[in-house]
């Protein structure tokens, strides 16, 4: 049976898999990371906050089921909301220290799902906080959720604009963000904001982070969506890449450095 390594790219709220620019609009991921299969998260069926909690496991189970003649091991790359979903899934997994991987079990998958490495991009353990240096005020996210009913497009555009720093305006890749579509339904957009308002991974991180195998955290230091102050303490220290001049989209604004870090980490 063939053994392959598949990277699951898990995007954030209000965007789509196109945010990665993997179709050549910004980068060619297959060229940057050859030798891997690449699959992308799809949130189109998410309608409740619980749907998001189960999404990583369900997506992996679906892929595992579709490839019954192949033994897959996975790398998870989660960005923004996707980073929180990734952390939640991995911290709930069974950790095998002898073989340095995490195992997700699911009745839908015939075989256990082996997670070999985890990459967190512009992530946080809790999206909202009364301290703006640690997160967004709860009332702002609640206002966004309410406004979705009357002006969905404006909410999306304002949020995407917040991803781009003043220094990044006018660059080639910013047009890509402004023109981005979303794979979230109206119900999914609302549920995604509910997830961001309600989810707190800090206790799980304190209990489980030291056990997560092969973890890389990449964060832009001028990120206003997930502020750098929210990056948790790493005990013991893990692989951490801080990009001084990057905002919320380091894989676009600093794509060369981003993929250099990934290649070096995954070797």
């Amino acid at each position: 049976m063939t053994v392959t390594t598949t990277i699951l790219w898990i995007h954030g709220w209000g965007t789509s898999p196109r945010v990665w620019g993997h179709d050549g609009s910004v980068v060619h991921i297959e060229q940057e990371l050859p030798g891997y299969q690449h699959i992308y998260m799809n949130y189109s069926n998410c309608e409740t906050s619980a749907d998001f909690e189960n999404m990583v496991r369900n997506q992996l189970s679906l892929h595992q089921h579709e490839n019954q003649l192949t033994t897959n091991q996975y790398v998870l790359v989660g960005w923004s909301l996707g980073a929180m979903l990734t952390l939640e899934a991995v911290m709930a997994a069974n950790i095998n220290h002898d073989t340095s991987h995490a195992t997700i079990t699911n009745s839908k998958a015939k075989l256990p799902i082996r997670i070999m490495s985890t990459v967190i991009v512009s992530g946080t353990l809790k999206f909202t906080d009364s301290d703006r240096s640690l997160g967004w005020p709860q009332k702002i996210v609640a206002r966004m959720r309410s406004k979705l009913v009357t002006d969905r497009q404006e909410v999306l555009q304002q949020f995407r604009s917040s991803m781009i720093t003043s220094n990044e305006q006018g660059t080639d890749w910013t047009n890509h963000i402004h023109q981005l579509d979303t794979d979230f339904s109206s119900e999914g957009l609302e549920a995604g904001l509910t997830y961001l308002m309600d989810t707190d991974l800090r206790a799980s991180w304190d209990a489980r982070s030291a056990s997560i195998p092969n973890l890389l955290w990449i964060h832009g230091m001028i990120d206003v969506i997930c502020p750098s102050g929210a990056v948790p303490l790493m005990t013991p220290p893990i692989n951490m890449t801080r990009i001084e001049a990057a905002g919320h989209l380091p894989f676009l604004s600093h794509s060369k450095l981003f993929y250099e870090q990934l290649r070096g980490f995954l070797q």
Side-chain angles (χ1 to χ4, degrees), residues 24 27 53 58 86 104 182 200 204 255 265:
V27 298
E53 294 172 10
N58 290 345
T86 300
I104 296 176
T182 181
D200 187 346
S204 295
S255 59
F265 173 67

Side-chain angles (χ1 to χ4, degrees), residues 102-174:
T103 302
I104 296 176
T105 57
N106 190 321
S107 59
K108 295 180 181 179
K110 293 190 174 183
L111 296 172
I113 300 166
R114 298 179 62 186
I115 309 301
M116 305 306 296
S117 300
T118 303
V119 181
I120 299 302
V121 186
S122 306
T124 183
L125 302 179
K126 190 175 187 299
F127 187 76
T128 59
D129 200 285
S130 57
D131 183 341
R132 189 61 184 87
S133 68
L134 300 178
W136 279 36
Q138 186 94 350
K139 63 181 180 181
I140 291 181
V141 185
R143 190 180 306 138
M144 288 172 61
R145 187 175 60 180
S146 298
K147 194 174 180 181
L148 280 171
V149 178
T150 58
D151 206 338
R152 160 181 161 150
Q153 198 56 35
E154 183 179 347
V155 173
L156 290 172
Q157 288 291 7
Q158 288 181 348
F159 189 71
R160 290 169 189 162
S161 295
S162 297
M163 299 179 190
I164 303 168
T165 70
S166 58
N167 294 335
E168 294 168 346
Q169 295 290 346
T171 54
D172 292 341
W173 61 266
T174 57

Side-chain angles (χ1 to χ4, degrees), residues 171-219:
T171 54
D172 292 341
W173 61 266
T174 57
N175 289 331
H176 169 73
I177 294 300
H178 288 306
Q179 297 169 9
L180 197 63
D181 56 3
T182 181
D183 64 344
F184 286 69
S185 66
S186 296
E187 295 82 3
L189 289 170
E190 182 178 348
L193 290 180
T194 299
Y195 176 90
L196 289 173
M197 292 171 65
D198 294 347
T199 302
D200 187 346
L201 302 177
R202 292 175 296 184
S204 295
W205 176 266
D206 290 343
R208 299 277 285 171
S209 63
S211 299
I212 300 174
N214 305 321
L215 175 63
L216 170 64
W217 193 300
I218 301 176
H219 212 98

